[in-house]
Every structure is written in structure tokens, then in C-alpha cells.
Amino acid sequence: IRFIAPRAPATTATTANDLFGRTSPRHRRHSDSHRLLGTLVPPSTTSTVPFSLISKGDTWGNLMVLVGNAALALWMVRHTTVGKLVGPPITAMGLTFVMATAGLLPSGGSLAASQLQQVCLCWATPLVLLGADFRGARQRCGPLVWSFLLAAGATLASSAVGWWLVGDWLTAALSGSHGALYAEDGLKIAAGIMARNVGGGLNYMAVCSSLGASPMAIAAGLCADNIFGLMYFPTTSAIAAGRPDPEEEEEESTTIAQSTTLVVDKEQDGATVAVSTSTPSVLQTTAVTSTNVTSAITDTAVETKVAQETEMANNNDDDNNNDDDKKDSISIESVTNVLCTATTLVWLGKVFGGTRGALPLCTLLTVLLVNNKFTPSRWVRSIQPTSQVLGTVALYLFFSTLGSQGVAVAESVRASMIPLGIFLTILYAVHGTWLWLLHKLFPHQPCMNPQRLLMASSAAIGGPATAVALAQAQKWPSLEVPGLMVGNLGDAVGTFLGIAFFAVFSTGAG
């Protein structure tokens, strides 16, 4: 059964306005000059709030509030229940929305908000990826790589099912009030949500921006996805509760199998011969010999354990020293070098990728830069801490600008919440069912281990930080670093999968 809603009539060419509400070609060219990637919408000329304390033309006043909202969102996430519940993106966006609706900021956005949005999105794309570590991912992640690929495939398949069922309804809800300019907003947001649930919020924004989705539709999709994320993550934690670390579980199973003693009773001169699989070359025929061997093995095991504990302590000290070095490596030089590298990558993406290919090409160039044998490993490691900090700041500032449309965002959310909710319900249900079936069909494969599948699902839907948090909460130390790496892998490929998803279904619809 497909949920079909009538499409809104397309606005004719004679009445369609450009992004500034004007129709002349000269004005359209002028509007394009204000957009770095040609995809983000400048402020509307109409406002539902007739007066605002900070005017549209007050550049520094608008920037002050937007940057302040990003900082306040971070404080709320750390110190308030509401902030911890909804997370930084929705908190920052909600603060700006409230201020724009109440009249502190100009409703409909401002040129300052639009420019900050463009710069932060463009910078966040390479910065987040420059802060990721992709080297040796296959060797360091082991079976979790295959688990993640299965989880990403589950997201792709579930998104296709969801679009087939509610695509028409979603398109009518998101595109009906915007005319022909945003006629495919429904598919663009669906592609962005699919990319978001393979990688992270960065991929959602990159896909929506590259495809030219409206800010109202982008905000509506982000709100709906975060609401469902609030239900998904506690569910994942509940399923994972009480399960041991997979490597410890596998080592314990191997130890039990190797130490199993096969006792063969043979009546040979009234003696019992015990054959041990762990020491096949030794036939223990007397209790004295058995005791001596056991004592020797015990002494060796104790010495080995002491040596291992000493080595682990030394390694922990080295790791702590390395962490301190990484923290101390954030300096004026590293900041300027990282910003120079990120800006160069954005510029190359714009020059060779054009309007729609700028961010995807920038993503590809960044991954190639940090993951090839010609780039010095020492340089890559030196810029990672700085890139992580600057990338996170850019994302927070970007999310803060999303609420600047004010009441228009609320109208878009209200109109599309039901179809978006059904789409996301299908996505999560099919995703989880797919992974559960794979575990039931192939229970003995390492990549089908339930702990690894849960980590892979968390890395795909929540991103690397969520995956690490799950591993730490459940005391799965062997999955912390692999979870972080496969989450970064999702960031690297999510944008391309989202754009491919749009291309396939847009062609099919045509």
C-alpha cells in the first residue's frame, strides 16, 4: 500500500520569483553571486513578524546572537536535562527559532545568517574529515567493517522502501508551498536522511545543500530525524545491556574449547589414561606427573599475566602521553594550517565540481588527502585535534543558523511531520529487521555478532561519537576505536550515497 497525496500545482514561469522574490534575469544573476555553492537560500523579503529588535541589515548584531546561540546550546547540553535530551543541533536551532519568532532576530532570516551558514557548511565538510583517522581501517577494525557495510546497506534498502511507500505524500508536504523552485524537496530530504543514517549530520547538510533543498524543508527533516533518534538510541542501549565485550567472549569460548579434556577410560592394567587436547604430546599416566605439569603451567601463566599487566600499564602511560601531546598540538600554527588546507579543498571542489558537485568533490579530495601513502602520517596526526575542534565549532554555528527562518520553519515542520514520521518509522524498522535476520541466518560469523551489529548500526545512524558512547557504556573496550573509525567511514561515503539515491529515484520518477 502506497501513501499517495496529490502534488501541488507547479508555479508557472511567469509568476515564479527568484530567490530574492524578483523576476528579472539581472536580479537572478545578482542573487547567485551571494551564494558560494549556489544552493543555500538568501533571506526572504517577507516577514511574519513586522518588527525585530535586531534588523536584517545589522550584520554584527545577527552574528552575535547566532554565535551566542551555538555557545548556549553547548552549555545547555552539558548542564540541562532538555539540552542532553535533544542534543546540540536541535538546541541551537531551537534557540534561534524562538528568537526569530519572538522578534529578537528578523523572521525570514538575514544576509548575515545566510553568509554564516554558507561559510560554516563549506568549512565543516573538510574540517570534520581532516580530523578523522582512516589509515589502516581494515586491519584495525576487523569484522566491524563488514558489520558496518551491512548496516549501511540496511539503511539504503529501508530508505528505498520508505520512499516507495510515502514518497508522493512527502513531496506534496514539503514542496507544496514553495512552487516549482523546490518541486523535489521531498526526495532531496529523503536522500539527506538516508545519508544522515549512513554517516552523520554533516552528510545530511551536504546532500541537502548540493541538491538545493529549501531551508524550511532542511529544518523539518532535521527535526523529525532527531526526534526518532531520541527513541532509537535508548532502544539500542537496552538491547545491548548485559552483553560482554565480543573479543572477551570469543577468547573465552576459544579457551574453553582448547582446555576441554577428553577422558578415555581404558581398562589397561587397571589404569586410566587421560589425553589432554591442550598438551597432546604428553601422556599423563600418574598423578605425580600431572601435578608437576599443572604447577609448571600455573607458574608460567602467572609470570605471563604479570608481564602482560606491566606491558599494558606502560602502554597506557604512552597513550596518555600521546593524548597530552595531541591536546597540546592545538596552536596558532596548526589552526592557520588547517584553515588554509580546508579553504583550499573547498575552492578546488567549487572550481572542478561546479554548483552541485562542490561539496561531494571536496569530500573526495579530503579523504584522498588524508588517506594516501604520499601524505606524511606525522602531518595527518598533527592536524587531527585542531580539525576536530574547528569542525565541531563550524557544525554548531551552522545548526544555529537553521532556525533563522522563524515561523516558516514551524509551518514546514507541521505540514511534513506525519509523512516524515512514517518514512523514518519504515527506515528504522526495516534497518533493524534486516540486521536481526542476518544475525539469525549466520550466527557464527564474526561480523554477525550481535554486539558488532549494534555498534555498526549505532555508528551508521548516530555517527562515530554515538558508537563510542555505546561501547563505553556497555564496557566494550575492543570496539571503541573500531566504532570511531567505521563512523568516520560513514562520514566519508554518506554524501555520495545520498546523491546517488536522489539520482536513482529522480530518474525513476521522471
Side-chain angles (χ1 to χ4, degrees), residues 353-369:
T355 298
R356 289 198 170 184
L359 288 181
L361 182 57
C362 177
T363 300
L364 178 62
L365 292 174
T366 307
V367 173
L368 292 176
L369 175 65

Side-chain angles (χ1 to χ4, degrees), residues 330-505:
I330 300 179
S331 61
I332 296 176
E333 181 181 2
S334 66
V335 170
T336 52
N337 288 339
V338 166
L339 290 179
C340 177
T341 303
T343 306
T344 303
L345 291 166
V346 172
W347 177 76
L348 291 173
K350 172 63 178 173
V351 170
F352 295 103
T355 298
R356 289 198 170 184
L359 288 181
L361 182 57
C362 177
T363 300
L364 178 62
L365 292 174
T366 307
V367 173
L368 292 176
L369 175 65
V370 299
N371 195 34
N372 71 83
K373 62 181 180 180
F374 300 106
T375 303
S377 301
R378 183 177 181 180
W379 178 81
V380 173
R381 288 193 298 270
S382 69
I383 67 171
Q384 284 175 353
T386 305
S387 300
Q388 291 170 359
V389 172
L390 293 179
T392 303
V393 170
L395 282 177
Y396 278 24
L397 291 175
F398 178 84
F399 288 125
S400 178
T401 65
L402 285 181
S404 61
Q405 296 293 323
V407 178
V409 173
E411 294 173 352
S412 181
V413 171
R414 183 169 55 253
S416 60
M417 185 53 68
I418 294 179
L420 277 172
I422 296 176
F423 177 81
L424 284 162
T425 299
I426 296 170
L427 189 155
Y428 284 107
V430 175
H431 174 96
T433 303
W434 172 264
L435 296 181
W436 178 79
L437 286 175
L438 287 175
H439 168 64
K440 291 298 181 181
L441 291 173
F442 308 99
H444 302 297
Q445 294 296 324
C447 63
M448 303 299 180
N449 178 278
Q451 292 93 314
R452 291 193 177 98
L453 289 177
L454 287 168
M455 278 292 294
S457 177
S458 183
I461 290 179
T466 304
V468 173
L470 177 65
Q472 291 175 345
Q474 302 302 327
K475 295 181 173 55
W476 298 341
S478 68
L479 294 181
E480 289 184 20
V481 173
L484 180 66
M485 297 189 71
V486 297
N488 291 331
L489 177 61
D491 288 339
V493 302
T495 300
F496 301 104
L497 291 178
I499 293 176
F501 181 91
F502 174 84
V504 169
F505 285 96

Side-chain angles (χ1 to χ4, degrees), residues 191-240:
I193 290 175
M194 193 280 295
R196 163 72 177 81
N197 288 283
V198 170
L202 172 68
N203 303 103
Y204 175 81
M205 301 314 310
V207 169
C208 292
S209 175
S210 297
L211 298 178
S214 68
M216 287 71 73
I218 293 174
L222 185 65
C223 286
D225 186 73
N226 277 272
I227 290 172
F228 274 77
L230 292 176
M231 296 182 285
Y232 166 82
F233 298 126
T235 303
T236 303
S237 298
I239 297 174

Side-chain angles (χ1 to χ4, degrees), residues 19 28 44 64 82 114 144 151 204 223 268 270 317 352 425 454 503:
L19 298 176
R28 284 195 294 272
S44 172
M64 173 194 69
V82 174
S114 178
L144 191 62
Y204 175 81
C223 286
Q268 184 176 9
D317 292 337
F352 295 103
T425 299
L454 287 168

Side-chain angles (χ1 to χ4, degrees), residues 55 109 150 158 240 271 297 307 334 458 492:
S55 65
L150 292 172
S158 59
I297 293 176
S334 66
S458 183

